[in-house]
Amino acid sequence: DTAVSQTPKYLVTQMGNDKSIKCEQNLGHDTMYWYKQDSKKFLKIMFSYNNKELIINETVPNRFSPKSPDKAHLNLHINSLELGDSAVYFCASSQKWDTDNEKLFFGSGTQLSVL
Amino acid sequence: AQSVTQLGSHVSVSEGALVLLRCNYSSSVPPYLFWYVQYPNQGLQLLLKYTSAATLVKGINGFEAEFKKSETSFHLTKPSAHMSDAAEYFCAVTTSGTYKYIFGTGTRLKVLA
């Protein structure tokens, strides 16, 4: 079983459209994240959720709205897509406050191309 | 606040040669440090981590790293490079008090035949 799974793997869309990316983890972790990786491979945190509660919002435009229906799921909805949103989006999870198991588990990424 | 700096965005080594990828960190509290590897078109995979136990950490695929507090470094090494080691490598830091992992800008490792 895949530990952190996200769908779709590829997303090609026009400017101005609205799209969603879904993420699920079966590790029982309390904390989930969205990271954006740009064309230069730079990884930047976007959001962090702990037990369905938003903990971190790293000055992401409000066109991006994460939603966590339960602690195993963290979805990302993007309104009015812009060219600059083209990137690879990674979902991840971790079990914070557990030193022995402190690490991030990543999904395989969603490559978003805005035309 | 925490940060990591990876020196060298591209590193090339010959097959069989030593691999050394550099990472320096900044943290006002004891850090947890990680090295992740990303193969083309894939997600990130954990190579190894330091979480305040042994300062010399061994990971998968023959990689190891040493936490040096005096130098604020966590460099990644492998005695003998293999062609399959060609990938992007990321150093990352977190602490027990934050809900974020901060990544370095990555180092692309190229292995020459």
Side-chain angles (χ1 to χ4, degrees), chain A residues 9 31 33 35 37 41-43 45 48 50 55-56 58 90 94 96-97 99-104 106-108, chain B residues 32 34 36 38 41-44 46 49 51-52 88 90 94-105 108:
Chain A
K9 187 167 176 63
T31 310
Y33 312 78
Y35 278 84
Q37 186 174 48
K41 301 293 186 183
F42 182 59
L43 266 168
I45 189 167
S48 171
N50 188 62
I55 301 296
I56 289 172
E58 285 286 302
F90 284 101
S94 72
K96 297 297 287 185
W97 316 113
T99 302
D100 289 343
N101 292 304
E102 179 74 69
K103 61 183 174 182
L104 269 181
F106 280 89
S108 57
Chain B
Y32 299 150
F34 307 82
Y36 281 85
Q38 185 180 27
N41 300 314
Q42 294 188 28
L44 281 80
L46 181 70
K49 65 176 183 178
T51 55
S52 76
E88 192 89 24
F90 294 92
T94 191
T95 66
S96 65
T98 64
Y99 284 95
K100 64 167 84 172
Y101 291 67
I102 304 298
F103 284 81
T105 49
R108 178 161 292 181

Side-chain angles (χ1 to χ4, degrees), chain A residues 12-77:
Chain A
V12 181
T13 188
Q14 300 286 333
M15 271 176 53
N17 284 352
D18 304 337
K19 290 293 178 186
S20 292
I21 307 172
K22 295 186 175 184
C23 180
E24 175 182 4
Q25 54 94 3
N26 62 6
L27 298 165
H29 288 166
D30 291 333
T31 310
M32 295 185 72
Y33 312 78
W34 279 110
Y35 278 84
K36 178 180 180 180
Q37 186 174 48
D38 63 22
S39 59
K40 295 184 178 178
K41 301 293 186 183
F42 182 59
L43 266 168
K44 182 173 169 54
I45 189 167
M46 300 173 70
F47 301 103
S48 171
Y49 268 75
N50 188 62
N51 275 320
K52 305 190 298 175
E53 184 180 340
L54 179 66
I55 301 296
I56 289 172
N57 178 342
E58 285 286 302
T59 61
V60 178
N62 58 15
R63 297 184 295 105
F64 291 79
S65 50
K67 282 192 173 47
S68 183
D70 55 63
K71 73 174 192 177
H73 295 84
L74 180 61
N75 303 322
L76 184 65
H77 188 76

Side-chain angles (χ1 to χ4, degrees), chain B residues 14-81:
Chain B
S14 298
E15 192 173 20
L18 172 71
V19 175
L20 170 61
L21 304 182
R22 298 177 188 273
C23 173
N24 287 88
Y25 71 91
S26 173
S27 179
S28 56
V29 296
Y32 299 150
L33 295 161
F34 307 82
W35 276 100
Y36 281 85
V37 60
Q38 185 180 27
Y39 298 103
N41 300 314
Q42 294 188 28
L44 281 80
Q45 177 184 356
L46 181 70
L47 274 178
L48 48 80
K49 65 176 183 178
Y50 165 78
T51 55
S52 76
T55 56
L56 182 61
V57 181
K58 294 186 186 299
I60 62 171
N61 301 338
F63 284 94
E64 63 180 39
E66 187 171 7
F67 173 72
K68 292 187 176 180
K69 185 177 179 181
S70 61
E71 298 176 10
T72 61
S73 68
F74 190 58
H75 301 330
L76 181 71
T77 60
K78 182 174 180 178
S80 176

